[in-house]
Amino acid sequence: MDFNYTEEQTMLRDSLSRYLANTYDFDSRQKVVREGKGWNPAVWTAFAEELGILCAPFSEAHGGLGGGAVENMVVMEELGRAIVLEPYLSTVVIGGGALKAVGGAIADELIPGIIAGNVRIAFAAYEPQGRFHLNDVSTTLKAGQLNGHKAVVEHASNATHLLVTARTGGAQRDTSGIALLLIPADAAGITRRDYLTVHGTSASEVYFENVAVGDAHVLAADALPLVERIVDEATVALCAEACGVLKVLHAQTLDYAKQRKQFGKAIGDFQVIQHRLVDMFMEVEQAVSMTMMATLKLDSDERAAAVSMAKAKVGKAAKFVGQNAVQIHGGIGITQELAVGHYFKRATLIENQFGSVDFHLSRYENLTLAA
Amino acid sequence: MDLNFSAADVAFREEVRAFIRDSYPAWLHEKIDEGEEMAKEDFLAWHKILHQKGWIAPAWPVEYGGTGWTATQRYIWSEETARADCVRLMPFGLSMVGPVIYTFGTPEQKAKFLPRILSGEDWWCQGYSEPGSGSDLASLRTRAERFTGEDGKEYYRVNGQKTWTTMAQHADWGFFLVRTDPTAKMQEGISFLLIDMKTPGITVRPIITLGGEHEVNEVWLEDVIVPVENRVFHENKGWTCAKFLLAHERTGIAGVAASKRNVERIKQVARQTQDGADSLLANPFFKRKVAELEVDLAALEYTELRTLAGESAGKGPGPESSLLKIKGTEIQQRLTELALEAAGTYGAPYFRSMGEGDNSFAVGPDSARRVAPVYFNMRKTSIYGGSNEIQRNIIAKMVLGL
């Protein structure tokens, strides 16, 4: 058993961490948020060219570092520490994950583009009525034409490609008859309504009206098992991001509790605050443990159960640590002025992303607790 | 002991319902449903209708403009206004400074200020917290020095900074805690001043909160001159007024009627939200959370009713009101958590389009609109009015004698 990073993984973490500390400070980030585009293309170029992190999980044959899920975990935690807006999760983890899984000519064509920063992929799977259920798909692909509506597609406005689930047969919630497509984001018949999320990224409602889809665009037919695996990998990467977010929330709150004086002493001298900070610390540590556990089980039979355990635990931690970071900061924690409030927002959105705590507890029950 | 309403109470409920149905402005409903920003006049529209009817201050003694209703009738009133989604009345005059003035004020202060609170002519704000004095309010440092003016009258010169001043951007008057004796022990050198917000030397600066709202402000006071007759109660005895007001604020803060209305709203949303093949309300996890909320809300409600019954028997709101504040705000926060959870994926969009000139932008179901900003905003409730940690200290000390 070994929970240590390799030398290469440590270097990846350190170089990204250094870059973000130097260039991605809170004020620069907020400036990008205020500009209202939901990302900064220059940062993406730097990720590709200066840092080379976009190649982390790809094979050497595709120009990558030969890494995988652990590399994604390393990167995502650092991105979480700086509440980075740019689309590593959707492009590299999800889009790249799908391409790695299907392989072949399309992977050979597009993965080098991802690594170079030119190909960006948005994940259009969830639907307005579908809540967190990936099998709830009413978007249809019939006779080469795609029709439907996908909800809250993050980073669609800056994507070159959309990764789309569509029903080729069966009823709305059947687990069979769902295809996974990769189509150009500017294909005729695609319209979007773009908006910002409360976290500052962009997202869109994406509508398909008779979009022509050829065989070359179909990554996989009857693809739900593949989609679930891709989303499990993404969920673990999101947990890693959460770990970064929560570590910063805890560190900033601890710092504040040592500095802020009331009743003639630091509020961190009060036992009620001490115990709260200890409880937050325990939540963070367990979130980190569960994220590592699930990352290392992604290729095992226990994948789905392990991922749902991790997300349930991380979701609870995100709520507890986020709420108490604000509570201990007091009023200043609810303002736009301090970073802590913005980390709290990110932690809050992570709670429900790829499924709420309840959703993952139910999934875990269904997978493991047959009566 | 009797939990039933009398025939008179039932008749009163009908009267209240009919009045709200006939008098509450429909446009105000629409504005709130659309999630539009509320202007000062919007907040005051319902206030003025109630003033005309004579129902603006049910909790006040009749001699100062109260309605003379029983505790049960007041309970019915708050239930019915919440049920009908009536806009919240600003508490700073009606529930905060008003009771301080009729309890501790001079006849002149009562005559001058109370009618204008009732009519809505004066909008009040509260100058309590300071950057260095939050939970430890009594450490406040805003200084008021007394001097005799050239006209031979007595004045205070006030210098300092207040913060978290809700709706100060609209305020005509503010009630401020200031230090009049810096040599006295903390609580003993404080006075309670009423300050005209148009007085030279006052600067109000917005603080923008996480949901993007401008609700709270910093208030800077530089050589603000205040006549001594605007001090309520004795010099250096302002802490008595402050504590009285905080205890009053805490009972109102429980928000039982509004929370009951919000539980109904969440049930309705969950019923209409699909979760797999069923509705979200059929999801056993979600349903259990709604049930737990209803149980806790009932416990709060009957605790509040007991407290109110004690009050009408002549006991003022005491340290027990801290219980209502803690439990009431926890429930309010849990309601916003559930609303956000119910919204699912649609909790993420911010109510702002990236397209140009598109102000009526909305995505997802109407019920999901603004749930995240409201969730962020409501974190304030366990912080303001004395944080919930401080409320537990109060109960430990004042109720349990620890």
Side-chain angles (χ1 to χ4, degrees), chain A residues 56-67:
Chain A
F58 297 112
S59 71
E60 280 148 8
H62 283 135
L65 288 182

Side-chain angles (χ1 to χ4, degrees), chain B residues 374-394:
Chain B
V374 169
Y375 168 79
F376 300 139
N377 185 279
M378 289 302 275
R379 300 313 304 170
K380 71 187 175 191
T381 65
S382 52
I383 296 168
Y384 67 25
S387 75
N388 287 10
E389 287 81 4
I390 292 297
Q391 305 300 339
R392 286 182 169 88
N393 287 347
I394 291 171

Side-chain angles (χ1 to χ4, degrees), chain A residues 11-330:
Chain A
M11 276 172 56
L12 175 66
R13 182 193 63 192
D14 292 349
S15 67
L16 178 55
S17 165
R18 222 174 7 249
Y19 172 83
L20 293 172
N22 290 335
T23 64
Y24 213 97
D25 58 285
F26 176 64
D27 290 337
S28 314
R29 178 193 185 273
Q30 291 314 103
K31 193 163 159 275
V32 174
V33 171
R34 278 193 299 275
E35 282 164 5
K37 300 288 177 217
W39 75 313
N40 181 356
V43 167
W44 197 247
T45 305
F47 280 0
E49 293 171 7
E50 211 176 305
L51 283 163
I53 61 163
L54 303 184
C55 69
F58 297 112
S59 71
E60 280 148 8
H62 283 135
L65 288 182
V70 176
E71 280 67 19
N72 278 338
M73 178 175 79
V74 169
V75 170
M76 287 297 291
E77 179 172 331
E78 293 309 313
L79 299 181
R81 281 178 184 271
I83 41 175
V84 167
L85 303 160
E86 284 69 23
Y88 186 90
L89 181 67
S90 58
T91 291
V92 178
V93 179
I94 299 177
L99 287 167
K100 269 168 48 171
V102 299
I106 192 159
D108 295 342
E109 181 198 336
L110 293 179
I111 287 177
I114 291 178
I115 291 174
N118 308 322
V119 171
R120 288 177 305 277
I121 299 171
F123 186 45
Y126 294 104
E127 299 195 354
Q129 82 293 340
R131 209 168 162 76
F132 309 125
H133 304 283
L134 291 162
N135 61 309
D136 199 328
V137 176
S138 60
T139 297
T140 56
L141 176 64
K142 276 182 193 154
Q145 292 203 314
L146 181 66
N147 283 282
H149 170 194
K150 296 291 183 177
V152 197
V153 182
E154 247 196 316
H155 292 295
S157 68
N158 59 56
T160 57
H161 294 73
L162 300 176
L163 185 64
V164 185
T165 53
R167 188 160 286 290
T168 52
Q172 187 187 318
R173 282 183 292 275
D174 282 357
T175 51
S176 61
I178 296 171
L180 183 63
L181 324 172
L182 189 64
I183 58 176
D186 59 357
I190 299 179
T191 52
R192 294 193 323 258
R193 296 201 73 181
D194 300 337
Y195 46 87
L196 291 178
T197 67
V198 288
H199 159 62
T201 51
S202 76
S204 309
E205 298 302 289
V206 180
Y207 304 90
F208 305 106
E209 200 181 340
N210 299 330
V211 178
V213 174
D215 288 345
H217 296 129
V218 180
L219 290 188
D222 227 0
L224 189 62
L226 171 64
V227 171
E228 286 178 343
R229 182 174 136 200
I230 292 165
V231 172
D232 276 345
E233 289 168 1
T235 304
V236 168
L238 182 72
C239 288
E241 182 188 349
C243 290
V245 172
L246 299 188
K247 281 179 182 177
V248 172
L249 276 169
H250 186 258
Q252 287 180 346
T253 308
L254 182 60
D255 208 33
Y256 185 80
K258 287 177 184 169
Q259 286 170 19
R260 170 72 173 175
K261 290 197 167 58
Q262 291 283 272
F263 304 102
K265 51 185 175 178
I267 61 170
D269 287 343
F270 292 99
Q271 199 172 46
V272 65
I273 301 293
Q274 290 174 353
H275 285 188
R276 198 80 55 81
L277 282 162
V278 169
D279 289 339
M280 290 164 73
F281 168 76
M282 295 193 293
E283 289 296 314
V284 174
E285 285 304 312
Q286 292 176 87
V288 170
S289 306
M290 292 298 265
T291 300
M292 286 183 176
M293 179 278 291
T295 301
L296 296 173
K297 289 195 176 187
L298 279 175
D299 290 326
S300 79
D301 296 344
E302 300 163 65
R303 183 203 78 216
V307 169
S308 280
M309 285 174 106
K311 185 61 178 22
K313 194 70 191 162
V314 169
K316 282 185 180 175
K319 175 174 280 175
F320 184 81
V321 175
Q323 290 185 346
N324 281 297
V326 169
Q327 182 70 20
I328 292 174
H329 274 83

